[in-house]
Amino acid sequence: MGHCIEKILRERNVEILATAEDIKTETPANAKEAVCIDFTTPDAFRNNYRFLAEHYGAVVVGTTGWNDICQDVCDYFRKCGTTMIYASNFSVGVNVLYAAVNLLSERLAKTGGYMPYIIEMHHIHKLDAPSGTAKSLASIVESHIGGQTQIQSVRAGEIPGIHTVGFEGLNDRITISHEAFSRAGLAEGAVYAAFLTEKVTGVHEFSDLL
């Protein structure tokens, strides 16, 4: 993801102040004028988020696996007065999927009789399972239908990402899917979010800004 984002920034002639290797060595004055785009690991983000909130002008977080400390992270960024935009998936298409699944879940909750499930497929290098996107989809479904949505994770080959949400009924089935062709969609969304920090302040989920 870092390389994908770097490629997009260079194509748009956006100055890259620092990369992962030297992000903590940048001068405070320069950091305050910069947006940090974080696609690291859950452990790295847990260790670094206070530093990012204290030193950078704004932060875009695409790292997943820190839901359990989400409130603490958001509160700390608010305390520091640092803008943060975060998402389990920065793909615009996935965020439209969230909206569609929200609508389906809301309607089906009123009729009853449908059992939801999620299947997510990714490349063998992905460290977390289920994916952050699958967890977000499950949260949307459960907010309307209740219970616990079953998630099946597949790790095979170099699959960029496929998420399918199904609603199994007695007489029919509804499925809706999003398939990423590459990581480029995630990178484009993250760069878009970085430019949004020029227009918004505070702590926001990417889907709310869309």
Side-chain angles (χ1 to χ4, degrees), residues 120 126-131 135 153 155:
E120 59 99 350
K126 187 166 178 59
L127 299 177
D128 57 328
S131 67
K135 291 178 181 177
S153 299
R155 298 290 177 265

Side-chain angles (χ1 to χ4, degrees), residues 95-173:
N95 282 273
V96 173
L97 175 69
Y98 290 158
V101 169
N102 184 68
L103 177 62
L104 285 168
S105 301
E106 181 183 23
R107 296 291 175 87
L108 293 176
K110 294 176 181 178
T111 63
Y114 285 84
M115 179 180 293
Y117 62 88
I118 295 170
I119 302 171
E120 59 99 350
M121 304 174 68
H122 283 89
H123 51 84
I124 58 174
H125 314 291
K126 187 166 178 59
L127 299 177
D128 57 328
S131 67
T133 303
K135 291 178 181 177
S136 294
L137 288 166
S139 178
I140 292 169
V141 172
E142 291 162 7
S143 70
H144 296 290
I145 295 179
Q148 186 171 6
T149 303
Q150 183 179 5
I151 303 175
Q152 292 292 329
S153 299
V154 175
R155 298 290 177 265
E158 298 296 332
I159 302 170
I162 303 172
H163 291 85
T164 300
V165 182
F167 299 90
E168 190 78 10
L170 187 63
N171 301 307
D172 56 10
R173 175 187 306 118

Side-chain angles (χ1 to χ4, degrees), residues 25-100:
T25 63
E26 194 50 60
T27 63
N30 285 343
K32 273 300 179 186
E33 296 299 318
V35 179
C36 175
I37 303 178
D38 187 296
F39 276 87
T40 53
T41 65
D43 287 342
F45 181 72
R46 289 168 189 269
N47 290 331
N48 292 336
Y49 80 84
R50 291 182 181 86
F51 179 89
L52 300 180
E54 292 165 1
H55 289 83
Y56 280 84
V59 180
V60 172
V61 184
T63 304
T64 60
W66 51 276
N67 282 357
D68 56 313
I69 62 166
C70 184
Q71 191 61 55
D72 292 339
V73 171
C74 292
D75 287 346
Y76 198 76
F77 272 83
R78 292 188 184 102
K79 177 183 176 182
C80 294
T82 303
T83 297
M84 178 178 74
I85 300 176
Y86 67 100
S88 58
N89 193 313
F90 272 99
S91 162
V92 172
V94 164
N95 282 273
V96 173
L97 175 69
Y98 290 158

